[in-house]
Amino acid sequence: HTGTHHSPSHIDHLHTYTLAHWGKVVTRDNLLNGVWGIAYTGSTRTLDTRIASLRKKLGTEAGKIETVHGSGYRYRQEWS
């Protein structure tokens, strides 16, 4: 894998990227390109794994990362 290994820095960058697009749906392709800087053509399960790791890191705030089925992910504007 080139540039897609699992590391804390990728999780932090993913968190920063989703926060920068607060309240907006970010497509899977945009996340892969924005976070890893690649036109990723493999399985998008890599991204799912990173999102799961980010949610775990966020703990009680994990619900702020919302899955928008068929589109991507969104950092929720509302706080629960």
Side-chain angles (χ1 to χ4, degrees):
H1 298 324
T2 58
T4 60
H5 67 282
H6 188 68
S7 71
S9 62
H10 281 139
I11 301 304
D12 292 340
H13 195 73
L14 180 60
H15 189 210
T16 301
Y17 193 85
T18 55
L19 277 172
H21 296 87
W22 187 271
K24 298 177 184 170
V25 175
V26 182
T27 67
R28 298 167 76 79
D29 285 343
N30 284 345
L31 279 169
L32 288 165
N33 290 329
V35 174
W36 287 275
I38 55 172
Y40 190 72
T41 58
S43 169
T44 56
R45 291 299 300 163
T46 297
L47 179 58
D48 297 337
T49 301
R50 300 315 187 279
I51 291 288
S53 295
L54 175 56
R55 286 176 172 149
K56 183 176 180 180
K57 180 178 180 177
L58 291 174
T60 59
E61 299 181 355
K64 293 177 185 175
I65 303 290
E66 177 183 18
T67 301
V68 181
H69 294 284
S71 296
Y73 296 94
R74 171 175 43 218
Y75 207 100
R76 291 175 36 167
Q77 291 180 314
E78 316 82 41
W79 304 110
S80 17

